Amino acid sequence: MRIVVDLSRCEGYAQCAFLAPDAFRMHGEEALMYDPSPDDARREQVLRAAAACPVQAILVDQLEGRKAPVEASAS
């Protein structure tokens, strides 16, 4: 899993740090620090934190669920 936070949108509400403290933490009162590749065991916490963000600044990319596009074979 990969996390990307749009720090220009983040307003420091800290809901993510409350819900997934292993992946997100506040540095001071306004600066968000985060782990861009948290442990997969934290998936539920991270997804809840992303959903709780009031400004929707957190994007979670679940890399392992993707499959390569299948090309049509010539018969």
Side-chain angles (χ1 to χ4, degrees), residues 3 5 16-17 20-26 32-35 46 49-50 58:
I3 299 173
V5 178
C16 58
D22 292 333
F24 304 95
R25 68 184 179 284
M26 296 302 294
L32 176 69
M33 306 294 286
Y34 68 98
D35 178 359
V46 170
I58 303 169

Side-chain angles (χ1 to χ4, degrees), residues 5-74:
V5 178
D6 183 345
L7 295 174
S8 65
R9 291 182 83 175
C10 178
E11 294 186 14
Y13 290 106
Q15 294 300 309
C16 58
F18 176 73
L19 293 169
D22 292 333
F24 304 95
R25 68 184 179 284
M26 296 302 294
H27 183 70
E29 291 183 23
E30 296 181 7
L32 176 69
M33 306 294 286
Y34 68 98
D35 178 359
S37 300
D39 187 271
D40 208 41
R42 306 283 183 233
R43 175 181 307 282
E44 287 300 316
Q45 288 180 338
V46 170
L47 292 176
R48 283 190 203 129
C53 180
V55 295
Q56 299 300 294
I58 303 169
L59 174 67
V60 179
D61 190 9
Q62 299 176 9
L63 300 174
E64 69 282 351
R66 291 186 182 172
K67 292 184 179 179
V70 178
E71 294 183 22
S73 60

